[in-house]
Structure formats: C-alpha cells, structure tokens
Amino acid sequence: MTPDPIQDMVPEPYRVRARRPDRGEAVTLTLEPAGGGAAPPFRPGQFTMIYAPGVGEIPVSISGRARHGGYLQTVRDVGAVSHALCRAGRGDVVGVRGPFGTSWDLAAAEGMDVIVAAGGLGLAPLRPVIRGLLAARARYRRIAVLVGARDPGGLIYPREPARWARHCDVRLTVDRPDRTWSGHTGLVTTLLDTVGLAPERTYAYVCGPEVMMRATAGELLRRGVPAGRIALSLERNMKCGIGRCGHCQLGPLFTCLDGPVLSYAEVAALLEVSEL
C-alpha cells in the first residue's frame, strides 16, 4: 500500500491492555485501539511508531498479535521514550502509527531447512516468524532456532523456547554465564556448528545487534549459504517511518520504507558504513 504522508504521520490512540515485565529490562505491552475493534493487520517483521505522550516517538517491532486483536510489542528501557513506554500501565493511552516496513518472507523458505538466529531483543521481531514457521510446520524441513544474549538475564520470552522445542531444534547461548546457567556459552555464531547445516537447502532469518548480524551472515556465507537467502532486520535512526525525513537513510535505501527486512545480498556493502 502506498503510504499517505499526512495520514501516516497521525498517531492513533491505543490503550495499554496489559504490561508484562520481561528479562533484560524489557517490557511487553499489549496495545489495543482505544476506540475499540482490531488493530490493522501486520506481517512478521513490521514495526509501528509508538508515541509516549509528552516524551517522543520510537519505532518498535511487533512481536505478536494479541488475543483480542491488538499488538504485542516488546520495549527495552534504554532511553527517555522507551523508559516512558516501559512505565506505562494498564489503561494508559499511547499513540501508534503503522504498521510500517518490509517483512520476513516465510514463503521463500518453504521446502528448505531454516535457521532463525536471534541476539538479545532481536528475538522480538523474529517471534512472529517462529510462530509462523511452526504453524505451517509441514512446509519446512528442519527448523533450528538459535538464541543468544549477553547473559542469562537477557534471554527474553523465557517460557517460549521450551514450547518451540516440541516442534523444532532450539538452542540457547549466553556470552557471560552466571551461577544459574548450565547451557551453552559463546556467541550465537558458535551454535551454527551444532545444527548440521546443509547450505544448499538453507534459508536464514537473522536479527540482533548489527555486529551479531554481520558475524552470523559472514559465518553462513562461509558455510555456503547464498547471501540472497540470508534475511536481516536492520535498525537505524527511524523518525517518520514512511521514508520522508531521511534520518534512516542507508546508501540508496530508507530503512523504514525499503526495510527493515532486507537480504544480506542487498546490504552487505552498506553495513560497512557507520551510521551518522
């Protein structure tokens, strides 16, 4: 759908239906239209711009569809706007624009082995991917979900990996283990050696800190997975969400409009350029 530059800049009021604290200073909000009804449909990987009244607006990935038709959106408390959103309570009203952006192409991986590699909060936009893959499990060959975090406290959605593991291969790792951790230690890329990758029939979805995505894409390439079958979700300084302001421009691309989901083949060279 072609963005409407006026309508798309006007936030709609959404009410916080529920607030669930997560690990790593993250909070998952259940947002529903304040006027009733269901939120607009979204595709896995898309984001909304969420406005905290009197503070500001930030892009937040949609991590799922709420049971009552709203959005699940996970925010980490790292700045003024995210701090205000993380403190929002049931009944509070925020502004929402979108959904915006490109999406993960689940159909492209049909009939193939699938790698889902997430680092930290990067699991949030991949959560709808995992759910979509498992909802159509018979369409895919082997599915491996690889999740990493700096420490055990950074592994968000702690109850979900056990549920996913009933239907696919799930492996977790942390960089800095503590006394509670008995699992794998190391970067997400070290998990690639544990899943028996068949590069000629593998499709990968990767999201996390940019250094993690570059490293993971590089390791997948080194093992023979084509760059066009490695999908990344980029994060840049998005302001308008509709490709008008230029804050998120990355070479010839506007991350909010042409992304955030792009293939590594499209962005490998651009990722060598530091964000201004």
Side-chain angles (χ1 to χ4, degrees), residues 28-101:
T28 295
L29 299 176
T30 302
L31 302 177
E32 60 184 11
F42 74 97
R43 301 188 304 276
Q46 289 192 298
F47 67 95
T48 67
M49 299 296 298
I50 306 183
Y51 172 67
V55 184
E57 187 182 53
I58 57 172
V60 181
S61 298
I62 300 172
S63 54
R65 169 69 74 178
R67 187 175 304 171
H68 300 280
Y71 298 138
L72 300 175
Q73 301 203 252
T74 301
V75 184
R76 176 164 289 164
D77 188 351
V78 294
V81 181
S82 59
H83 181 68
L85 293 174
C86 286
R87 290 175 61 87
R90 180 180 170 88
D92 286 348
V93 174
V94 299
V96 174
R97 297 191 290 119
F100 297 128

Side-chain angles (χ1 to χ4, degrees), residues 45-46 61-62 104 115-130 146-149 156 188 204-214 216-217 220 230-235 260-262:
Q46 289 192 298
S61 298
I62 300 172
W104 306 103
I115 298 284
V116 180
L121 199 63
L123 184 56
L126 286 172
R127 185 169 176 266
V129 172
I130 297 168
L146 315 178
V147 181
I156 61 173
V188 171
Y205 304 94
V206 182
C207 187
E210 198 158 297
V211 64
M212 169 266 176
M213 290 195 293
R214 288 202 305 267
T216 303
L220 289 167
I230 303 170
L232 313 178
S233 180
L234 301 188
E235 183 176 289
V261 178
L262 292 156

Side-chain angles (χ1 to χ4, degrees), residues 100-145:
F100 297 128
T102 56
S103 57
W104 306 103
D105 186 355
L106 300 190
E110 290 187 5
M112 307 185 76
D113 291 346
V114 180
I115 298 284
V116 180
L121 199 63
L123 184 56
L126 286 172
R127 185 169 176 266
V129 172
I130 297 168
R131 292 192 162 195
L133 293 171
L134 299 185
R137 185 65 187 86
R139 297 181 187 174
Y140 306 93
R141 297 170 65 99
R142 185 178 181 188
I143 299 174
V145 177

